[in-house]
Amino acid sequence: MHIVICIKQVPDSAQIRVHPVTNTIMRQGVPTIINPYDLFALEEALKLRDAHGGEVTVLTMGPPMAEDALRKALTYGADRAVLLTDRYFAGSDTLATSFALSQAIAKIGETFGTPDIVFTGKQTIDGDTAQVGPGIAKRLDLLQLTYVAKIASIDLNTREITVERRSEGGTQTLMSKLPCLITMLEGTNEIRRGSLDDALRAARSRIVKWSAADAGIEDLTKCGLRGSPTVVKRVFAPAARAEKAEQIETTEKTPRDLADELIAGIFSRQPALEDELAFDGDA
Amino acid sequence: MLNTKQGTPPPAAGRAGMKKELPEHFKDYRHVWVFIELERGQVHPVSFELLGEGRKLADKLGVELAGVVLGPAGEATLYAVAEAFAYGADLAYLVEAPLLEDYRNEPFTKAMTDLVTTYKPEILLLGATTLGRDLAGSVATTLLTGLTADCTELDVDAEGSLAATRPTFGGSLLCTIYTLNCRPQMATVRPRVMAMPQRVNKPIGRVIQHDVPMIEEEIVTKALGFLSDGQSSTANLAYADVVVAGGLGLGAAENLKLVKNLARAIGAEYGCSRPLVQKGWMPADRQIGQTGKTIRPKLYIAAGISGAIQHRVGVGGADLIVAINTDRNAPIFDFAHLGVVTDAIRFLPSLTEVFTHRLSPHSRDKLAN
Ligand SMILES: Cc1cc2nc3c(=O)[nH]c(=O)nc-3n(C[C@H](O)[C@H](O)[C@H](O)COP(=O)(O)OP(=O)(O)OC[C@H]3O[C@@H](n4cnc5c(N)ncnc54)[C@H](O)[C@@H]3O)c2cc1C
């Protein structure tokens, strides 16, 4: 079984600083990590490989430094890493990103064997869109299974796959066919550390580096800014609220007195709430 | 000025500021559409929130607002259509087929893209639910158009283009995004980000029926079953009137019972900040914030939560925010309305007790007398 997993290198910190004057992101010095959701997908891919045999190829599109994320994925146990990097990809929105990644996956298929499953995380923590997975699926004409919490079974003979998928208010069980694209939810897998062997192999591995041309992308107008129908027109910091919270004075008060005062404060601001809560409380 | 597209285009100003004179064939794209999400016979409330927002956009553009209902023929679809009208839609597109019973990507993508290519909306809005995001991504890619995810604000500019504002970099910044040179302009919005509109007195509208040329045998993916979350009320968190949440300040998993007790006493839902999910103290669907749920309660009580930007974006729509935190400089006090600088672990039991007392029928009778 050949599994391709797409990962993204993202800024680690919640404390991304915003330049006070220009309102732009100051990325310098912010450490990067593999998008946490992608790690769950990677773990699932590795588990499937361990159970059914085959290979896991990890793919990222990004600047040359994204190689670090790939090397990390190799230490977890991935068999091969491909870095898609080219200045033509700069400024890609989700449509352009899904185009570039799908072309690279097609090329990976030609070079290393057609994938049975393509994995992505459910979303990235920087872009947060959850759109790239479905975009890739559509471009490659793969069946798509999103928000998968668990792969219940895979039968490589009949090429059937059954998954449990999170949906609003419940869990849906879907049966589909390979090849397919799966976006993986967090929390179902304990992420492995990777063995010493994997670490040594990762250090020795050569990462496959492809430019747009190497990946067989001929139509550069579909890449980067030019291939992105959405355009960011304005970036700005959220407006600060004018006044701070009204503080309830705490000195020399018992918790009960404090509670009395706080509850009086709540109901004086939301008079209707008292009746509603009393009603709910009884029900 | 309703249809402002006829105005003279301003000079182009760099790529981001570039204004398109819409290509001729895009001028066919008119009207604002809202996907009415129907799952297991229920319309997701986000669809009504979007109809409220869609109404404003349609009025600004001087075009009609339509609801799109996809599902098996029957009461549920008729109800969804009626509800779309009740929340302001002028017309509804209705695709009825047995294969639209349970949500699956293939038939829904097919039905939606067929409708779009036939009837050409200018703007298409979907809820950023699991279903909506699954569908939106494949529809946009099939149509090769732009899609802006998780918008917090939608508007049309002077030239009639959709200006979609969304948080970026975990909520530290907002950006306004345009879809240039492609139609429709697509956006998703999370539940509870837009206010629930009033039902309007508009019980009927036009219904346009459409067929999908697709049969069950052509659909590879089969829905085998659905297990409802049932009694666990996590699905209600986003729609609860009162929410109590705990953060890392509570110190230990067992202290979360203080939050749950308070919630139970006042008929509230409970939630948490992200670190608690990462520590395994609470399930992921109780998380509030950028990567969790957006809530819009009348009252939100946050205990031991610092108020990081990623948490803030999930609670900004609350009517009244109460913060309990030992650190008077915690960022949560910048956006809370009422604050108490005290130890939540000691304070929550008293708060629960006093609330219970005040809300009990007994003490209320006394007050009334
Ligand atoms: C991409 C990304 C997405 C994220 N998404 C989310 C999200 O959806 N939701 C979310 O919540 N976070 C999210 N975060 C995390 C967020 O940045 C913060 O780390 C998190 O909200 C902090 O949680 P906290 O306030 O509970 O903990 P802390 O930041 O540790 O704050 C604990 C607070 O408790 C106070 N305290 C300590 N002891 C007590 C006591 N005894 N009584 C009262 N107060 C006490 C402290 O003063 C402090 O203010 C995200 C981060 C990233 C990078």
Side-chain angles (χ1 to χ4, degrees):
Chain A
M1 180 154 62
H2 186 200
I3 298 173
V4 173
I5 140 125
C6 301
I7 67 171
K8 186 181 180 189
Q9 189 180 49
V10 295
D12 180 12
S13 169
Q15 286 95 43
I16 295 230
R17 285 154 305 145
V18 177
H19 193 282
V21 179
T22 58
N23 254 346
T24 51
I25 301 263
M26 305 196 292
R27 290 180 200 233
Q28 285 95 325
V30 180
T32 57
I33 50 170
I34 297 178
N35 176 44
Y37 296 117
D38 302 346
L39 290 179
F40 294 105
L42 176 60
E43 179 60 36
E44 195 64 39
L46 295 173
K47 260 172 52 184
L48 287 175
R49 176 204 61 192
D50 294 346
H52 300 276
E55 284 187 320
V56 170
T57 302
V58 45
L59 165 68
T60 193
M61 178 181 96
M65 69 179 265
E67 183 175 335
D68 297 344
L70 291 174
R71 221 165 269 289
K72 185 90 196 161
L74 290 172
T75 66
Y76 284 120
D79 300 283
R80 177 187 303 112
V82 179
L83 173 64
L84 184 62
T85 187
D86 202 312
R87 62 191 172 81
Y88 289 112
F89 299 133
S92 296
D93 72 356
T94 55
L95 192 76
T97 302
S98 69
F99 173 72
L101 286 174
S102 64
Q103 296 284 103
I105 293 167
K107 183 76 183 182
I108 286 172
E110 283 168 30
T111 319
F112 306 110
T114 313
D116 301 286
I117 303 180
V118 176
F119 274 105
T120 72
K122 76 159 180 180
Q123 65 192 51
T124 58
I125 59 163
D126 56 348
D128 226 4
T129 69
Q131 282 165 201
V132 171
I136 294 171
K138 202 74 230 168
R139 302 246 187 208
L140 291 173
D141 208 9
L142 292 172
L143 296 157
Q144 103 181 26
L145 304 166
T146 54
Y147 298 99
V148 169
K150 188 178 164 195
I151 296 177
S153 69
I154 275 190
D155 186 330
L156 290 177
N157 295 319
T158 58
R159 309 210 28 94
E160 275 171 357
I161 178 167
T162 306
V163 301
E164 287 174 14
R165 161 178 198 273
R166 223 21 244 170
S167 75
E168 302 294 304
T171 304
Q172 192 183 29
T173 304
L174 290 175
M175 189 175 80
S176 196
K177 289 266 184 190
L178 303 178
C180 65
L181 177 135
I182 292 175
T183 80
M184 202 70 205
L185 224 53
E186 69 280 12
T188 39
N189 279 327
E190 183 86 27
I191 291 161
R192 71 185 63 188
R193 297 244 174 107
S195 66
L196 188 61
D197 276 356
D198 286 327
L200 291 173
R201 197 173 40 82
R204 282 196 309 266
S205 289
R206 204 176 59 83
I207 283 170
V208 181
K209 282 185 204 128
W210 284 344
S211 65
D214 296 334
I217 300 176
E218 280 155 21
D219 192 351
L220 292 173
T221 64
K222 291 184 179 161
C223 298
L225 264 184
R226 277 202 290 171
S228 300
T230 61
V231 168
V232 176
K233 240 190 144 179
R234 193 164 88 94
V235 179
F236 55 105
R241 248 250 317 269
E243 66 249 47
K244 283 194 135 204
E246 186 184 318
Q247 292 289 357
I248 295 199
E249 183 49 53
T250 53
T251 32
E252 290 180 23
K253 280 183 197 153
T254 64
R256 289 187 64 108
D257 289 348
L258 260 188
D260 259 331
E261 214 176 307
L262 177 59
I263 292 170
I266 290 171
F267 289 144
S268 74
R269 284 171 177 76
Q270 292 273 314
L273 207 56
E274 184 160 9
D275 285 331
E276 287 172 35
L277 290 189
F279 182 75
D280 284 355
D282 292 344
Chain B
M1 289 264 55
L2 287 179
N3 198 341
T4 45
K5 260 189 237 151
Q6 274 103 34
T8 24
R15 193 193 147 86
M18 183 172 79
K19 251 318 166 194
K20 72 240 168 258
E21 176 52 17
L22 272 183
E24 233 9 78
H25 63 282
F26 283 160
K27 293 188 175 156
D28 302 343
Y29 285 79
R30 297 185 74 220
H31 304 319
V32 176
W33 286 14
V34 171
F35 171 62
I36 310 295
E37 181 171 329
L38 189 62
E39 226 177 342
R40 274 163 293 285
Q42 297 290 317
V43 175
H44 196 293
V46 72
S47 306
F48 303 139
E49 295 159 15
L50 288 178
L51 282 168
E53 207 56 28
R55 185 73 264 169
K56 293 181 209 158
L57 301 178
D59 289 348
K60 275 198 183 171
L61 290 165
V63 299
E64 289 188 304
L65 173 68
V68 178
V69 175
L70 314 176
E75 270 175 35
T77 45
L78 294 182
Y79 154 76
V81 167
E83 286 295 289
F85 294 144
Y87 281 96
D90 301 304
L91 71 157
Y93 293 94
L94 176 61
V95 182
E96 289 180 320
L99 44 77
L100 299 171
E101 172 81 58
D102 287 303
Y103 176 74
R104 287 172 296 168
N105 179 269
E106 300 160 84
F108 274 71
T109 301
K110 174 88 179 123
M112 186 60 109
T113 47
D114 267 18
L115 276 178
V116 169
T117 41
T118 313
Y119 298 102
K120 301 187 172 33
E122 190 169 355
I123 293 172
L124 171 58
L125 307 177
L126 301 91
T129 57
T130 47
L131 192 166
R133 285 178 162 196
D134 186 274
L135 180 61
S138 22
V139 169
T141 313
T142 311
L143 298 167
L144 297 176
T145 191
L147 168 57
T148 307
D150 285 9
C151 301
T152 51
E153 214 182 305
L154 297 171
D155 202 357
V156 285
D157 73 359
E159 285 155 50
S161 298
L162 179 68
T165 300
R166 72 178 305 256
T168 180
F169 284 94
S172 337
L173 285 179
L174 296 170
C175 58
T176 302
I177 293 177
Y178 280 67
T179 293
L180 299 177
N181 302 322
C182 291
R183 288 294 177 270
Q185 306 162 92
M186 289 179 63
T188 63
V189 177
R190 289 167 36 147
R192 295 312 255 159
V193 166
M194 305 297 180
M196 179 67 84
Q198 289 289 317
R199 281 173 77 95
V200 293
N201 197 13
K202 198 186 157 303
I204 50 163
R206 301 192 321 278
V207 178
I208 297 173
Q209 295 250 13
H210 190 77
D211 287 331
V212 249
M214 204 175 200
I215 51 167
E216 182 58 45
E217 287 64 39
E218 292 171 342
I219 302 166
V220 179
T221 302
K222 305 293 175 199
L224 299 186
F226 182 80
L227 188 68
S228 163
D229 290 337
Q231 291 315 309
S232 95
S233 48
T234 46
N236 298 333
L237 183 56
Y239 286 87
D241 277 341
V242 183
V243 174
V244 183
L248 217 47
L250 291 178
E254 65 259 26
N255 287 332
L256 289 174
K257 69 172 184 295
L258 305 177
V259 167
K260 293 182 196 171
N261 287 346
L262 174 58
R264 187 165 341 108
I266 62 177
E269 280 294 336
Y270 64 90
C272 65
S273 62
R274 182 159 93 153
L276 273 55
V277 172
Q278 289 170 326
K279 284 179 176 291
W281 294 357
M282 267 207 208
D285 42 13
R286 292 274 174 192
Q287 181 189 320
I288 297 166
Q290 169 83 10
T291 46
K293 293 240 157 42
T294 301
I295 60 171
R296 220 185 164 86
K298 293 177 184 162
L299 171 62
Y300 177 56
I301 302 177
I305 293 181
S306 60
I309 185 78
Q310 295 85 6
H311 189 79
R312 180 181 181 169
V313 295
V315 301
D319 292 338
L320 180 60
I321 300 174
V322 174
I324 304 162
N325 197 305
T326 43
D327 174 10
R328 67 175 60 252
N329 295 317
I332 192 145
F333 292 124
D334 295 341
F335 60 96
H337 303 92
L338 264 178
V340 190
V341 178
T342 194
D343 179 352
I345 300 164
R346 288 187 49 222
F347 181 55
L348 283 175
S350 297
L351 187 61
T352 307
E353 204 182 307
V354 177
F355 249 129
T356 310
H357 183 69
R358 179 147 179 177
L359 297 173
S360 76
H362 176 66
S363 72
R364 291 171 64 79
D365 287 348
K366 262 202 314 214
L367 280 177
N369 291 335

